[in-house]
Amino acid sequence: MNIRQRLRRGAARVAGARATPALALGRRAMSGLFGGSPRVVVCAMPRSASSFVTTLLAHALRCPQRPLVTDYADTEQNLSLAPILDAWPQGFVAQHHFLPTAGNLRLVRQCGLRPVILHRDVRDVLVSLREVLVKRIHELDGEAWRHRTSALFIAPCGPEFAAWDEERQMDLLVDYAAPWLVRFYATWQRACAGGLDAAWCGYGEVTADPAAALTRLGGALALGFDASDVRRAVQAAASPRNFNVGRAGRGRGALTPAQERRLVRLGAYFPDAGCEAIGLGPAAGGAS
């Protein structure tokens, strides 16, 4: 049994328990073995350029992209200790959609992960989600649809979604997806107000000037890459890939007045969260 297997076996014994000293000891042991390799987790709203940002960071840091969860598709992507330990030696950049639950925050802190929180105007996300759901319905059948459509965890619909008119499709997304999106933003804001060290990035910032956004993120998280790393990363990430190509503000005017009122009401529940950044709140005036 090699050292990584031993560490993983020991960590598995405490993974379900609140054995903070044991996990902290394991982290110190692994840090001593594998040094200061970067361990970044991009925690994102869906459709917020997370694949693009993750690729930028991975190229700038010269480290692989690795999953830190054991399940995808129609479930929230909560962190898991075993894949974190598997990925630990090389360092990594991971990309997931999850909330700052007690369990997720415990792993972020105790495993020394550096979070990047990606957000986007909620209306833009809803418009993009509707398009990708319809597209996936036409591309995939049966179980493939269930297992390869990550948006299902906040938009629990079936293939019949594609046959609905656009207003009904948006009704479902406003009722089911929008509450998760607002909760995502507000609860991560609360976690950071409580002392979590994280870097934030908006969709408009990274799509308007990827190099400037990447440089700022690197500085905010003390990741140690330089201007040449940024240039190389931007050039590599600009290659044709399956990235979402959108624009900021595309959700403006997409909702009916009734849908708009429901959406604005969600933001009003979090007056101190700065929801203007996602198109809600007093300064946003309820408009994107």
Side-chain angles (χ1 to χ4, degrees):
M1 183 181 295
N2 62 34
I3 186 63
R4 188 169 67 178
Q5 289 172 325
R6 290 178 183 275
L7 287 167
R8 183 175 174 183
R9 181 177 178 181
R13 294 172 181 168
V14 300
R18 302 180 64 86
T20 302
L23 186 52
L25 180 62
R27 178 191 166 194
R28 287 196 296 272
M30 294 188 79
S31 295
L33 286 169
F34 303 115
S37 300
R39 298 172 186 95
V40 179
V41 57
V42 175
C43 183
M45 285 183 173
R47 319 307 295 169
S48 63
S50 57
S51 294
F52 182 56
V53 172
T54 303
T55 300
L56 283 172
L57 286 165
H59 280 289
L61 293 167
R62 300 178 186 268
C63 65
Q65 298 182 42
R66 295 288 299 269
L68 306 182
V69 303
T70 55
D71 203 1
Y72 284 88
D74 57 353
T75 184
E76 214 165 276
Q77 297 169 3
N78 292 310
L79 300 178
S80 179
L81 182 59
I84 293 174
L85 295 178
D86 278 342
W88 189 284
Q90 288 182 284
F92 53 81
V93 179
Q95 167 200 357
H96 295 300
H97 310 299
F98 62 90
L99 298 172
T101 63
N104 285 330
L105 288 179
R106 187 162 57 247
L107 286 173
V108 166
R109 290 188 172 109
Q110 294 178 347
C111 294
L113 307 184
R114 302 178 187 182
V116 174
I117 314 300
L118 296 185
H119 58 86
R120 187 181 184 183
D121 185 291
V122 173
R123 295 167 187 80
D124 292 356
V125 176
L126 296 180
V127 169
S128 187
L129 275 175
R130 190 194 73 80
E131 291 174 350
V132 76
L133 286 168
V134 172
K135 182 173 183 284
R136 288 294 178 87
I137 287 169
H138 290 309
E139 290 177 347
L140 304 172
D141 295 319
E143 286 304 301
W145 149 261
R146 297 273 173 212
H147 290 291
R148 293 181 56 196
T149 307
S150 61
L152 289 179
F153 82 96
I154 57 170
C157 59
E160 68 277 2
F161 182 86
W164 297 352
D165 62 58
E166 186 171 331
E167 181 176 344
R168 188 180 183 193
Q169 291 172 341
M170 291 301 293
D171 271 334
L172 181 142
L173 295 176
V174 169
D175 288 344
Y176 281 93
W180 190 94
L181 296 169
V182 176
R183 182 184 175 196
F184 171 93
Y185 185 84
T187 54
W188 278 109
Q189 284 283 353
R190 186 179 301 155
C192 289
L196 179 70
D197 186 16
W200 289 73
C201 188
Y203 179 90
E205 177 188 1
V206 74
T207 55
D209 193 338
L214 181 59
T215 299
R216 187 184 63 77
L217 290 174
L221 294 175
L223 294 176
F225 50 73
D226 59 23
S228 64
D229 295 321
V230 170
R231 286 192 297 271
R232 185 187 68 254
V234 171
Q235 184 177 8
S239 301
R241 294 288 185 94
N242 292 322
F243 297 135
N244 175 39
V245 179
R247 58 180 175 81
R250 65 194 302 260
R252 188 177 295 115
L255 275 62
T256 67
Q259 291 167 344
E260 184 69 30
R261 286 192 295 272
R262 290 177 357 235
L263 187 62
V264 170
R265 183 178 179 183
L266 290 173
Y269 289 119
F270 304 97
D272 301 323
C275 288
E276 294 87 354
I278 57 171
L280 304 176
S288 54

